[in-house]
Amino acid sequence: MTTCNLIPECCRHSGDDALTVEDYGRALPRWCLGCGDHAILAAVQRFCRDEQLPPEKTVCVSGIGCSSRFPHYMETYGFHGIHGRALPIAEGIKMARPELNVFVSTGDGDCCSIGAAHWIHAIRYNMDMTVLLHDNEIYGLTKKQASPTSPRGLTTNTTPRGSYLNPLNPLSATLGVANVSFVAQAVDWIPDILHEIIRMAYHHKGFSFVRILQRCPAYLPNTFEARVKDPSSVRLLTHEDGLVPTPAIARVYGNQEEHDPLDIHRAREIASVSDPIPVGILYRDPAVPRYEDSFDSDRTDTAETTGTALERELDKITIQASA
Amino acid sequence: MKTIDLPKSSTALREGNVRNLTEHVVEIVSDSGEGAQKCGQSFGTIAARMGYGVWTVEIIPAEIQPPARSVAGASGNRIRFASSPVTNGGDDADLVIALNEQVLLGRVGEMKPGCTILLENKWKDDPDSSVAGAYQRTVDDLDQAGFKVREVPMEEECLKHVSNARRGKNMFVLGLLCGIYEFDTQLAREQIESIFAKKSRAVIDANVGLLEAGFAWARENFDLRIRIPATRPDQPLVVANGNTAIALGIVASGMKTCAMYPITPATSASHYLSEIFEKVGGFVHQAEDEIAACCFAIGASYAGSCAVTITSGPGYSLKQEAIGLAVMAEIPLVVVNVQRGGPSTGQPTKVEQGDLLTTVFGSHGDAPKIVIAAASIEDCFYSIITARKIAETFNMVVVVLTDASLATAQTLFPRPRYDESWHAPPIDQSPVPKGALRYDWDPETGLARRFIPGQPNGMHAVTGLAHDRRSRVAYDPRINQEGLQNRSKKLVTLQKTLKTPPVFGDGEGDLLVVGWGSTRGAIEEAVRRVRSEGEKVSALHLRFIQPMPPGIGDILRRFERVLIVENNWSDRADGAGIDEDNRRYSALALLLRARYLVDADCWSEVMGQAIKPATIENVIREKLS
């Protein structure tokens, strides 16, 4: 294990066997300078370090797009899938191995466009996984096309006269689906809160959906710039069962609203507002049943028990010849 | 409940009217909901218990509740039973029972000349003159066409025993059949007890009463008696359709995850599996769509033991991209494609072998996968076990092809004896040696050990991108070349372990008939018939389509001519406008011609039903002349 001596916080668990933030990193990320993906990666690695998640018991799953390179940069197990299909792959993993920690990184195109059907149903399944929607409101890897969350009027390579449609609201959409159990929003430019929300998402036993507004310096350098500089453009959702900002954060981000995460009606109202940007836990219901718990399977079967079960089934279709 | 003393022999019967035969093909057709299916299945079960070889084929309308008395609404069952084991549905029907004349009309093309028809006669006096007229016209037409129509007062007879003849008429019909074929009525009673086991005693007694009434009526009123000797089997047999066999194969193989989306004609495999799977630690996931089902199975495979997804043509098309991902990332996966008529929505309930090339070549780029075609219902069971084993040994996608005819036909086969080696090994959680590479392709075999989540030191991110031996994204074109080479090499490695399939008949001769999948029984029966007349004809059946087993080319070259018979599209050589430059060959013909440079001809049809032995027999004779 390497031990980081530069930043004292990194050494919090610095027993001989404690894992550091660096231990959760693999290759050097190839995202653009200033891309919000870096902040999300850092937050997840820091979280893994804090919780000392066993890397071999942790799987990061993704689809296709800039953000979906995520698993390549995590020294855990990873599955970089195909466009739009991160969620069903993650569901298969979780169902086969409920003891694994499953993280999903998906972009606004991956989740809300090509994979939208899976997104809706993943909410219904409510399987225990942490889903990070890296929402930069643009297609990056394919070079600047309008995404479902692009603001109306945005000039892109496929909408040179401005995009025609109102953006899809991922928070409202998620809050509208039966069995929704956890919805939060974070922004890439407040790393402490991003980290805290990921922590709460992980500890929620169910489908934890975190939309993260993130900057794309290559294609939308100005989208969030004014808001990054103006703390009042963010409204923190605070609650003793939700986000409790540190005094330092609370001083900077004074625009706050006390919101009970069990109140789905208020959550839906909050979700419908984009300015100021609501940040915090919009909704959390730990009582929603999880799909992986609904099967009555005994997972400890052996060749012998299978043989017994098969013989029993064959008995039912065996033809008893007449005497 | 009055029980009828069944006559030991009928006075109406003259000994000369007893026909001694070795097999018969019987059809029972009715409107949907009148119970012809249940009657047919019961008849098949009784025949099986008596020791006959049996093959039943479902006659299913496309709609759930089609209009009554409609040609396309025919619902029922065709049963071929014989003194010896049968491997296919046989030729046209010898005897048909119909509950109205309209459902009969669509079946006429499937009836032998002179076929006996037992027809419910209540329509003759129907108050609606158009119904009565249609009935009489049909009876006259059938008579004229040489069929032996016997009008039976089914409704009238049933009403002597029950108040609602619509419920139970099928058991009267079962009784008629038992009477005609001299079946064991005790077995028939037991069958009724078994199918109505969850009903009240009164229901069972009423149905037994109808059975006995049908039996007695046939004995007293028919001079028709057919005697087919039965042989007691020397080993325990099971009766199943292909989809049940697949579900049982999945259980036996030790696979734990089946992800699917409802699609005809594949879904019944998942129905059956849903019933039994959780008892052995497995589960069926009904996904939101076909793509999700495939990806779910891939995720489950990646996380542990090999998973299976079951589908049919349109679903297979949707899964193609995900299948390519499993190929690229070298994740074991079993895909079952129960083929139906295509393209597009095609003929959902009908058989076709139209997906061979899409399974061999499908998914963009070079995506080598293994393709196995089940040749019989029994083979559906064993193919799944083989597929799971190969998928996990080679970390490859194995496609198992069956089709609608295997899926829904029922037959008997020797009861499998469970072998613990069929079962998947426990998930490997041992530490990976430090520094080991995920894609450490063996230079000889192309194989690489996969690392499973939970294994210490095995952390890596699988990807559908071109990748190096550490599973890192490849930016060097030579790495791409290396990856494709190794994934292709695995097919070679498997190919060297395969056995040359046996030739049915002599190893050389005038004509070799080659087939794959569900046509095996019919092709070999046709070849046996022409061989019995001294023709030098043999058959070869391929179970592994990709890779092709060794020795096929040598077999093909030992015959003067080669004819490939398939249930898919091909241009006839003498078709209008067809010449060698534009003729489209059938799928297997294309593969065999390309690989072995043999001038093989093909014959195929897409009639939505299993190809009959007599049809193949005619094709062979034509080819020989």
Side-chain angles (χ1 to χ4, degrees):
Chain A
M1 300 290 155
T2 54
T3 309
C4 167
N5 295 317
L6 295 174
I7 307 167
E9 209 202 349
C10 295
C11 309
R12 199 158 68 190
H13 300 278
S14 60
D16 272 354
D17 54 351
L19 296 166
T20 66
V21 166
E22 286 73 16
D23 288 330
Y24 290 97
R26 186 177 290 147
L28 192 67
R30 298 170 71 107
W31 291 310
C32 304
L33 206 62
C35 171
D37 287 330
H38 291 290
I40 300 168
L41 178 67
V44 172
Q45 288 174 342
R46 186 179 145 203
F47 166 74
C48 289
R49 186 277 318 269
D50 289 354
E51 301 276 339
Q52 290 289 295
L53 295 188
E56 72 275 13
K57 296 257 168 75
T58 303
V59 187
C60 295
V61 186
S62 67
I64 291 294
C66 291
S67 58
S68 287
R69 292 296 181 98
F70 197 93
H72 289 285
Y73 308 137
M74 288 291 295
E75 185 61 2
T76 60
Y77 278 87
F79 200 133
H80 179 204
I82 45 177
H83 204 16
R85 322 298 171 201
L87 288 170
I89 291 170
E91 289 154 13
I93 293 170
K94 189 68 188 178
M95 189 61 104
R97 301 281 302 280
E99 77 278 16
L100 297 174
N101 304 305
V102 177
F103 291 85
V104 176
S105 283
T106 178
D108 39 314
D110 199 58
C111 176
C112 308
S113 194
I114 191 169
H118 308 311
W119 169 35
I120 302 295
H121 290 275
I123 300 164
R124 279 180 69 225
Y125 299 140
N126 191 40
M127 299 184 74
D128 185 17
M129 56 181 71
T130 304
V131 179
L132 308 175
L133 171 60
H134 301 231
D135 189 353
N136 58 7
E137 303 182 353
I138 192 79
Y139 282 84
L141 206 56
T142 49
K143 317 284 186 276
K144 201 181 186 183
Q145 295 83 25
S147 102
T149 60
S150 293
R152 187 172 180 181
L154 185 73
T155 305
T156 73
N157 286 323
T158 46
T159 57
R161 290 167 295 282
S163 66
Y164 316 105
L165 301 171
N166 282 324
L168 182 153
N169 182 330
L171 297 176
S172 296
T174 305
L175 283 164
V177 178
N179 283 353
V180 59
S181 75
F182 185 102
V183 180
Q185 180 154 269
V187 293
D188 75 23
W189 59 89
I190 316 178
D192 282 353
I193 290 186
L194 174 60
H195 172 267
E196 178 62 8
I197 287 175
I198 289 171
R199 190 186 70 78
M200 297 178 80
Y202 171 82
H203 286 291
H204 170 73
K205 295 296 163 207
F207 185 84
S208 310
F209 181 79
V210 184
R211 182 202 193 193
I212 305 164
L213 291 171
Q214 67 164 103
R215 291 165 288 178
C216 176
Y219 296 121
L220 298 179
N222 303 318
T223 297
F224 294 114
E225 222 37 48
R227 299 205 252 179
V228 170
K229 287 175 183 153
D230 174 12
S232 71
S233 69
V234 166
R235 176 173 291 162
L236 294 187
L237 306 173
T238 63
H239 193 268
E240 58 181 357
D241 291 330
L243 188 63
V244 182
T246 61
I249 291 284
R251 266 199 303 280
V252 179
Y253 294 93
N255 186 355
Q256 297 181 8
E257 175 184 335
E258 168 113 353
H259 167 62
D260 179 355
L262 271 173
D263 183 350
I264 197 165
H265 302 296
R266 180 62 195 146
R268 286 175 177 151
E269 287 170 5
I270 294 169
S272 65
V273 175
S274 56
D275 188 17
I277 301 166
V279 167
I281 314 299
L282 281 85
Y283 185 63
R284 180 179 57 204
D285 179 359
V288 179
R290 290 174 295 274
Y291 187 57
E292 67 267 38
D293 297 339
S294 57
F295 286 93
D296 192 20
S297 289
D298 172 13
R299 294 167 194 267
T300 59
D301 79 299
T302 60
E304 203 185 334
T305 56
T306 295
T308 310
L310 182 73
E311 296 293 353
R312 208 165 43 229
E313 291 308 316
L314 290 173
D315 284 346
K316 293 181 195 164
I317 56 167
T318 296
I319 285 293
Q320 304 298 337
S322 61
Chain B
M1 184 85 221
K2 175 176 160 276
T3 48
I4 298 165
D5 249 351
L6 298 174
K8 288 276 175 284
S9 66
S10 168
T11 46
L13 193 72
R14 297 182 305 276
E15 214 31 52
N17 283 332
V18 176
R19 291 165 65 201
N20 290 294
L21 299 172
T22 57
E23 71 157 85
H24 233 221
V25 176
V26 184
E27 266 194 23
I28 304 146
V29 281
S30 69
D31 287 339
S32 208
E34 285 188 305
Q37 298 260 359
K38 192 171 273 182
C39 174
Q41 284 156 8
S42 297
F43 183 74
T45 304
I46 299 163
R49 291 192 61 193
M50 289 179 67
Y52 291 113
V54 176
W55 186 283
T56 69
V57 178
E58 289 179 4
I59 299 160
I60 325 168
E63 294 81 15
I64 295 163
Q65 290 180 331
R69 290 179 48 81
S70 63
V71 176
S75 167
N77 230 293
R78 154 186 283 245
I79 307 104
R80 181 188 191 194
F81 69 105
S83 294
S84 49
V86 288
T87 59
N88 65 86
D91 297 321
D92 292 338
D94 297 289
L95 184 142
V96 176
I97 298 193
L99 269 53
N100 70 61
E101 84 291 349
Q102 293 298 311
V103 293
L104 203 52
L105 293 175
R107 308 301 308 165
V108 171
E110 305 285 313
M111 298 180 338
K112 278 205 184 110
C115 170
T116 300
I117 298 168
L118 309 185
L119 183 58
E120 160 72 272
N121 74 355
K122 74 166 195 169
W123 312 103
K124 183 158 64 179
D125 307 315
D126 199 275
D128 182 339
S129 63
S130 69
V131 169
Y135 175 85
Q136 200 51 56
R137 272 195 307 282
T138 304
V139 170
D140 294 345
D141 288 350
L142 291 168
D143 266 337
Q144 287 239 303
F147 296 113
K148 297 191 190 73
V149 183
R150 290 163 186 253
E151 297 173 84
V152 182
M154 297 182 195
E155 179 106 349
E156 194 184 318
E157 289 297 318
C158 287
L159 286 174
K160 292 178 184 169
H161 303 271
V162 289
S163 56
N164 179 2
R166 191 177 155 84
R167 307 187 67 155
K169 199 187 279 182
N170 58 342
M171 292 298 119
F172 180 84
V173 169
L174 183 63
L176 287 178
L177 287 170
C178 289
I180 292 166
Y181 292 106
E182 303 192 325
F183 271 20
D184 184 333
T185 48
Q186 182 51 33
L187 287 183
R189 282 190 204 96
E190 287 173 20
Q191 175 64 15
I192 289 177
E193 297 264 356
S194 136
I195 57 178
F196 294 107
K198 287 177 182 163
K199 298 285 170 89
S200 68
R201 191 70 238 166
V203 171
I204 295 171
D205 287 344
N207 280 287
V208 169
L210 287 164
L211 170 91
E212 289 171 346
F215 188 95
W217 198 92
R219 291 300 184 106
E220 279 156 22
N221 296 281
F222 282 157
D223 57 353
L224 171 70
R225 202 70 55 79
I226 294 157
R227 210 169 271 169
I228 297 167
T231 333
R232 271 185 67 89
D234 52 5
Q235 57 184 328
L237 302 175
V238 291
V239 62
N241 66 30
N243 278 354
T244 301
I246 280 173
L248 289 168
I250 289 170
V251 171
S253 76
M255 286 192 281
K256 295 290 166 245
T257 305
C258 170
M260 50 72 71
Y261 181 79
I263 187 166
T264 303
T267 315
S268 67
S270 307
H271 293 177
Y272 181 62
L273 199 55
S274 300
E275 291 278 332
I276 62 176
F277 213 14
E278 286 184 38
K279 292 177 208 159
V280 292
F283 59 92
V284 174
H285 171 57
Q286 182 181 327
E288 61 271 25
D289 61 37
E290 294 280 1
I291 297 171
C294 196
C295 289
F296 189 102
I298 291 170
S301 269
Y302 164 78
S305 56
C306 182
V308 59
T309 181
I310 306 179
T311 190
S312 186
Y316 192 86
S317 293
L318 286 164
K319 290 180 198 293
Q320 293 270 23
E321 189 197 7
I323 287 171
L325 170 66
V327 170
M328 185 61 145
E330 302 190 43
I331 296 169
L333 178 70
V334 175
V335 184
V336 179
N337 180 349
V338 184
Q339 297 166 97
R340 64 190 226 183
S344 190
T345 313
Q347 300 203 89
T349 60
K350 311 279 190 197
V351 58
E352 199 175 296
Q353 296 181 302
D355 297 349
L356 186 72
L357 296 177
T358 200
T359 48
V360 170
F361 297 114
S363 203
H364 53 277
D366 184 61
K369 54 198 114 44
I370 293 142
V371 180
I372 305 175
S376 65
I377 289 171
E378 179 182 21
D379 201 19
C380 289
F381 177 81
Y382 292 105
S383 291
I384 296 289
I385 295 167
T386 307
R388 200 280 305 156
K389 216 172 241 190
I390 294 175
E392 288 208 83
T393 306
F394 290 82
N395 291 327
M396 286 185 82
V397 176
V398 183
V399 182
V400 176
L401 287 170
T402 74
D403 59 39
S405 78
L406 289 176
T408 57
Q410 293 215 36
T411 195
L412 296 155
F413 59 88
R415 177 174 165 142
R417 297 167 68 108
Y418 181 66
D419 181 336
E420 291 196 1
S421 73
W422 293 347
H423 196 270
I427 298 170
D428 187 359
Q429 293 289 277
S430 63
V432 170
K434 282 221 164 87
L437 306 175
R438 166 61 184 88
Y439 297 104
D440 192 14
W441 293 299
D442 182 273
E444 295 294 316
T445 62
L447 296 179
R449 174 192 168 185
R450 76 186 178 115
F451 306 154
I452 296 168
Q455 285 189 282
N457 311 326
M459 287 82 76
H460 67 290
V462 296
T463 177
L465 282 167
H467 49 265
D468 65 12
R469 287 170 184 254
R470 291 185 302 172
S471 195
R472 303 217 174 162
V473 180
Y475 295 96
D476 179 340
R478 282 169 301 187
I479 293 174
N480 191 48
Q481 178 86 11
E482 185 185 36
L484 269 94
Q485 183 181 34
N486 281 296
R487 288 189 293 275
S488 185
K489 198 177 279 171
K490 294 194 287 185
L491 276 184
V492 177
T493 306
L494 173 63
Q495 193 263 355
K496 290 192 188 305
T497 70
L498 300 181
K499 291 189 190 122
T500 305
V503 176
F504 179 84
D506 295 321
E508 55 183 49
D510 294 337
L511 179 66
L512 180 72
V513 183
V514 188
W516 64 280
S518 64
T519 52
R520 179 179 196 157
I523 289 176
E524 292 184 354
E525 187 166 335
V527 166
R528 188 183 293 117
R529 288 181 197 169
V530 292
R531 284 181 66 81
S532 71
E533 292 162 18
E535 300 288 0
K536 294 191 174 80
V537 179
S538 298
L540 179 69
H541 210 75
L542 297 182
R543 195 163 168 260
F544 275 88
I545 309 291
Q546 176 151 291
M548 288 258 181
I552 303 292
D554 291 341
I555 295 172
L556 299 180
R557 281 184 276 271
R558 288 201 293 266
F559 287 83
E560 286 291 313
R561 277 171 291 182
V562 174
L563 176 70
I564 290 122
V565 172
E566 298 179 70
N567 203 333
N568 53 30
W569 176 258
S570 67
D571 291 329
R572 298 278 155 87
D574 57 358
I578 301 299
D579 57 41
E580 253 326 287
D581 288 345
N582 64 19
R583 183 180 180 198
R584 295 177 68 221
Y585 282 84
S586 62
L588 183 63
L590 198 71
L591 292 179
L592 294 182
R593 289 172 64 90
R595 182 173 295 282
Y596 301 108
L597 301 179
V598 169
D599 189 15
D601 194 4
C602 62
W603 180 91
S604 66
E605 65 173 14
V606 281
M607 302 294 281
Q609 58 186 0
I611 306 175
K612 295 187 172 71
T615 309
I616 299 171
E617 199 184 328
N618 289 339
V619 171
I620 292 173
R621 288 189 205 287
E622 208 169 286
K623 188 72 187 169
L624 289 171
S625 65

